[in-house]
Amino acid sequence: MNTFYITTPIYYVTAKPHLGTLYTTVLADVLNRWEKLQGKETFFLTGTDEHGQKIAAAAQKAGKTPKEFTDSFISAYKETWKQFEIDYSHFIRTTDEYHVKAVQQWLQQLIDKGDVYKSSYNGWYCTPCETFLSDKEAQGAPTDTNQSGPACPSCNRSTHYIEEECYFFKLSAYQNKLLDFYKNNPEFILPKERMNEVISFVESGLKDLCISRTTVKWGIPFPGDAKHVTYVWADALNNYITAIGYLQEDKKDQFAKWWPANVQVMGKDIVRFHAVYWPAFLMASDLSMPKHLLVHGWIKVGDQKMSKSLGNVMDPEFLYKEYGPDAVRYFLTTQMAVTQDSPFSIEDLEQRITSDLANEIGNLLNRMTMLAQLNNVKTIVPPAKWSHAALELQQANKTMLADVAMYLQEYSLHMAYAEVKRFVARTNAYFHAQEPWKLAKSDNEAFMQVLAATCHALRTIGTIYWPVMPSKMETLLDAIDSQFELNGDVIKGLENWDKTFELKQVPVLFTKIESTKVSEEKIIEKKEEVVSSDTIDIKDFIKVQLVVGTIESVEPVEGSDKLLKMLVNCGDKGIRQIFAGIKKFYQPEDLVNKQGVFVVNLKPRKMMGMESQGMMLCADDGNGNLSYITPHKPMVNGSILK
Ligand code: MSP
């Protein structure tokens, strides 16, 4: 019982990680570290999902083999996780040989058991989500199967029709077992509200699941039939067990030690796979169910999901360089309610750094150490008897620890850390109310007691925030010479206020951000590669209104190394203020009086606090070189592109 196994989804490697994938991974890392603090032996799994149509198509577009293509992103993933101090135990790649072999054996077991049969599939498929639409979801689909199909309910992109021979897993046979399981385990999915969607999906009737593909070549060869490769989700979900030794002779003990997982973390987009297909696969293999699925909402930009395909993803590397890992981890863990979709904005991040981190935590440490230094105090011993005010602070310390444990038990991270934040404020209030700068002159014993109580409170704060901000909190604990060892239940020990502290000089923990460092412009616009099998309908194309416009004036945007602000005459679409990230490539005078092509029906977007009322079309060579697009001969402003 003293073990804890936690997983993240394995990410598709079509690009570097983005803030959304970082979010899931940080949540898992925080929970893993929290369990370590309580003396648990933990295993934290993350990795990459590398097979399937989506990856094959993206690789083809990049002119690489699928394996070369996925290999090229692995170091970016590992580097990002390192930057953000993601302390995983193992990084699985679904191209790892042990995984491939174990998946094949797993399939063979299902075949032997009679849970798999060969037939043919026809229906609508979403390549970006690698998912088959259910009959209900496919309602209203066009009769002409050459057309694009209904929008995918998960990502809203159009689907395409596939018709091929495949092997089916008898998912329908597990419908009632799944419903019983949900009924008996109401906390299987957390937050609990998400369970209802799953139950109604299963109750609406489960069809057998296609678990092989013949039109896709990039995948795990299906046992006994060279024409087929394993459907990517049947391959990928198994990572959670193959990584810890499933079906590997020499790893039986390891598998028995870690399975079932305590918690599997994921975004709400992939609940169906984890709450329906995954338990059914486990049931078919006579394996126990994971104890909980922790399902979080999406990071949004404005009212849209942050996603590669929408071109609004934020690059973790940029955030790392600008703000450091701890502040970003703090923001993701404490400001996003796991239960909901939450916006992410640079402005909010900077505000939290200034108010919560610099003004509250940093300042508390600073005030205490400065005052001690001023009075030549280095060593602080616990008093013989605590004052009433200090005892009250101790009580608040104890209550906070119990509340945090209660909230984290149900993985309610933002609620848990809101309690810690209150305790930091409470400690600041205590310090202020005691007026230790006066006591230093009048009552040395009382003065030393305030320092001792503050050090104990700081020890709690540093330790309890360690899962969220590991390196900054290690510095804080170092300042009072109170590094913890991950040995036994560290949290329990925080209730004992009997420590002696040695004060040490440490670098400033957090600095206030006086004026905004960067702007939303840094939200990197990166359109997801349109995979070659995805075609769009002419209807989709004409939704985008493209017109010719003449650039009337251009000025560089102050504080931005990328942006130019232009006034563009778009004829009957008016004179538009449009921002373009092309400062590196053009001087303003290169552009004035030139004609370009502009999207005029995009939602206006704020950039550097000003509204951009359109978008200039540029060609991008993939190495960050941009060239604006201009008509071959002068055109009347407002001319439509079609
Ligand atoms: N490969 C599958 C998962 C297989 S697990 C057996 C997959 N990969 S993914 O790269 O698309 O990653 C999806 C996960 O990334 C989401 O479930 C979520 O955890 C995370 N996020 C991606 N975008 C996100 C947001 N905008 N906001 C929050 N999380 C996001 O699906």
Side-chain angles (χ1 to χ4, degrees):
M1 291 314 283
N2 215 31
T3 57
F4 179 81
Y5 177 30
I6 185 165
T7 67
T8 71
I10 46 172
Y11 304 108
Y12 289 128
V13 276
T14 47
K16 298 190 302 182
H18 68 78
L19 191 63
T21 41
L22 177 68
Y23 176 49
T24 311
T25 318
V26 164
L27 291 184
D29 188 61
V30 171
L31 291 171
N32 185 50
R33 286 175 186 265
W34 164 250
E35 296 294 330
K36 281 187 178 189
L37 277 182
Q38 292 171 98
K40 295 258 175 81
E41 191 189 351
T42 70
F43 196 95
F44 170 18
L45 178 69
T46 191
T48 45
D49 190 353
E50 306 192 11
H51 291 126
Q53 188 166 352
K54 176 185 172 107
I55 305 270
Q60 191 186 20
K61 186 159 182 268
K64 292 186 174 167
T65 66
K67 184 65 175 32
E68 279 167 1
F69 181 70
T70 57
D71 280 350
S72 70
F73 290 114
I74 299 303
S75 58
Y77 266 87
K78 290 192 173 168
E79 185 54 31
T80 304
W81 297 163
K82 194 164 146 206
Q83 286 174 338
F84 284 89
E85 308 195 40
I86 306 296
D87 188 18
Y88 56 81
S89 316
H90 183 66
F91 187 104
I92 185 171
R93 300 180 58 181
T94 51
T95 47
D96 288 339
E97 204 184 319
Y98 69 86
H99 171 79
V100 172
K101 281 194 176 148
V103 168
Q104 288 177 318
Q105 269 197 58
W106 169 77
L107 285 166
Q108 191 59 54
Q109 279 182 178
L110 296 190
I111 297 167
D112 296 345
K113 211 180 146 206
D115 259 333
V116 172
Y117 63 93
K118 193 165 162 180
S119 181
S120 70
Y121 176 84
N122 51 3
W124 300 92
Y125 193 76
C126 173
T127 307
C129 297
E130 297 280 15
T131 187
F132 303 94
L133 258 54
S134 68
D135 289 348
K136 199 167 158 199
E137 289 159 351
Q139 265 169 17
T143 39
D144 177 1
T145 51
N146 288 320
Q147 282 188 21
S148 48
C152 164
S154 173
C155 71
N156 219 15
R157 279 170 280 203
S158 55
T159 50
H160 66 280
Y161 196 77
I162 58 174
E163 189 163 16
E164 60 193 63
E165 176 188 276
C166 79
Y167 286 92
F168 281 89
F169 167 68
K170 288 185 184 163
L171 182 65
S172 56
Y174 291 89
Q175 176 164 339
N176 291 337
K177 285 185 199 153
L178 285 168
L179 290 170
D180 283 348
F181 171 69
Y182 304 142
K183 202 165 133 212
N184 297 330
N185 296 276
E187 297 194 344
F188 174 55
I189 305 176
L190 293 172
K192 285 190 211 160
E193 303 82 69
R194 298 232 175 260
M195 183 68 116
N196 299 336
E197 302 155 29
V198 171
I199 294 180
S200 61
F201 174 76
V202 176
E203 276 176 345
S204 74
L206 289 182
K207 286 206 318 182
D208 290 345
L209 179 71
C210 171
I211 53 163
S212 78
R213 303 283 313 267
T214 48
T215 53
V216 180
K217 299 290 163 229
W218 176 236
I220 299 183
F222 205 80
D225 195 338
K227 252 173 48 197
H228 293 249
V229 300
T230 311
Y231 167 49
V232 62
W233 275 98
D235 158 358
L237 285 163
N238 276 291
N239 91 87
Y240 302 131
I241 48 180
T242 62
I244 48 167
Y246 184 56
L247 295 177
Q248 292 148 68
E249 248 338 283
D250 53 335
K251 295 206 172 121
K252 282 191 166 150
D253 291 348
Q254 197 192 326
F255 181 65
K257 176 172 177 182
W258 297 111
W259 192 256
N262 295 71
V263 57
Q264 305 204 252
V265 186
M266 74 206 62
K268 64 181 186 180
D269 45 337
I270 52 175
V271 176
R272 180 186 302 176
F273 301 97
H274 286 82
V276 182
Y277 305 159
W278 181 224
F281 289 161
L282 291 168
M283 284 172 182
S285 309
D286 296 320
L287 293 172
S288 334
M289 298 297 134
K291 298 209 177 94
H292 302 290
L293 305 182
L294 172 61
V295 180
H296 62 72
W298 286 334
I299 298 187
K300 295 209 153 181
V301 178
D303 57 1
Q304 288 183 315
K305 180 189 177 198
M306 180 178 285
S307 99
K308 282 172 274 175
S309 58
L310 294 170
N312 60 3
V313 298
M314 200 173 277
D315 183 2
E317 187 166 355
F318 155 73
L319 293 171
Y320 165 78
K321 287 194 178 138
E322 210 69 48
Y323 304 101
D326 299 80
V328 178
R329 289 174 62 110
Y330 174 81
F331 189 85
L332 293 176
T333 313
T334 65
Q335 300 305 303
M336 313 254 166
V338 175
T339 41
Q340 289 160 16
D341 293 343
S342 310
F344 182 93
S345 84
I346 292 286
E347 206 181 321
D348 291 346
L349 169 68
E350 292 187 343
Q351 207 173 19
R352 298 271 67 96
I353 293 175
T354 299
S355 62
D356 300 2
L357 302 181
N359 285 353
E360 290 285 320
I361 305 177
N363 212 18
L364 176 64
L365 176 69
N366 207 24
R367 284 164 92 191
M368 191 277 293
T369 48
M370 296 281 275
L371 194 61
Q373 211 178 39
L374 212 68
N375 291 280
N376 293 320
V377 175
K378 274 201 138 177
T379 307
I380 300 167
V381 293
K385 194 167 179 294
W386 291 102
S387 69
H388 179 66
L391 286 173
E392 275 185 347
L393 188 64
Q394 265 181 53
Q395 186 52 44
N397 174 86
K398 200 169 160 192
T399 313
M400 180 272 284
L401 290 173
D403 290 344
V404 168
M406 177 193 75
Y407 284 125
L408 287 181
Q409 179 104 19
E410 53 200 43
Y411 309 114
S412 199
L413 291 103
H414 69 291
M415 296 292 280
Y417 288 106
E419 296 299 331
V420 188
K421 186 175 162 184
R422 262 193 284 281
F423 180 69
V424 176
R426 173 82 179 71
T427 309
N428 265 313
Y430 160 83
F431 188 83
H432 193 74
Q434 298 306 304
E435 303 188 315
W437 51 93
K438 287 188 187 159
L439 294 177
K441 294 187 192 108
S442 59
D443 183 345
N444 189 52
E445 210 175 301
F447 170 64
M448 288 304 291
Q449 169 149 181
V450 176
L451 296 187
T454 308
C455 280
H456 278 99
L458 277 165
R459 177 174 73 122
T460 296
I461 294 164
T463 311
I464 203 102
Y465 266 141
W466 176 80
V468 181
M469 298 180 277
S471 69
K472 291 288 181 188
M473 292 304 105
E474 281 169 22
T475 308
L476 181 149
L477 292 169
D478 201 29
I480 53 173
D481 201 22
S482 171
Q483 297 104 314
F484 60 85
E485 264 181 82
L486 283 174
N487 188 3
D489 190 340
V490 180
I491 301 293
K492 267 239 139 315
L494 297 173
E495 285 178 18
N496 306 328
W497 282 30
D498 55 1
K499 295 275 168 279
T500 296
F501 299 95
E502 291 289 333
L503 299 187
K504 281 208 260 167
Q505 287 277 355
V506 295
V508 172
L509 276 186
F510 302 104
T511 18
K512 289 187 206 178
I513 298 176
E514 303 290 0
S515 61
T516 183
K517 283 181 149 196
V518 288
S519 74
E520 299 295 331
E521 159 221 350
K522 296 279 185 177
I523 295 176
I524 294 165
E525 292 217 30
K526 218 178 330 137
K527 291 261 178 269
E528 189 178 58
E529 355 267 87
V530 175
V531 285
S532 56
S533 60
D534 269 359
T535 49
I536 62 164
D537 206 88
I538 185 75
K539 288 201 305 276
D540 296 324
F541 176 72
I542 57 174
K543 280 187 198 153
V544 184
Q545 283 181 24
L546 297 164
V547 304
V548 173
T550 301
I551 303 166
E552 297 197 330
S553 68
V554 185
E555 53 184 87
V557 174
E558 215 175 294
S560 164
D561 51 3
K562 270 190 175 169
L563 283 184
L564 292 178
K565 184 175 102 176
M566 302 178 286
L567 282 182
V568 183
N569 185 340
C570 296
D572 59 0
K573 300 287 177 207
I575 300 202
R576 304 275 184 120
Q577 170 173 286
I578 294 178
F579 290 76
I582 52 173
K583 198 173 182 178
K584 276 200 221 139
F585 311 100
Y586 298 100
Q587 297 297 320
E589 55 274 23
D590 300 335
L591 296 168
V592 176
N593 291 330
K594 297 281 166 30
Q595 286 200 310
V597 175
F598 299 88
V599 186
V600 287
N601 64 338
L602 273 184
K603 249 192 209 156
R605 200 173 117 188
K606 277 251 159 100
M607 292 178 125
M608 302 294 283
M610 291 171 284
E611 189 172 273
S612 187
Q613 300 159 329
M615 187 174 94
M616 185 185 209
L617 287 201
C618 289
D620 180 341
D621 69 357
N623 296 318
N625 293 314
L626 300 182
S627 164
Y628 78 90
I629 305 299
T630 185
H632 167 62
K633 57 181 184 195
M635 296 296 288
V636 174
N637 288 330
S639 299
I640 292 168
L641 274 90
K642 50 185 187 179

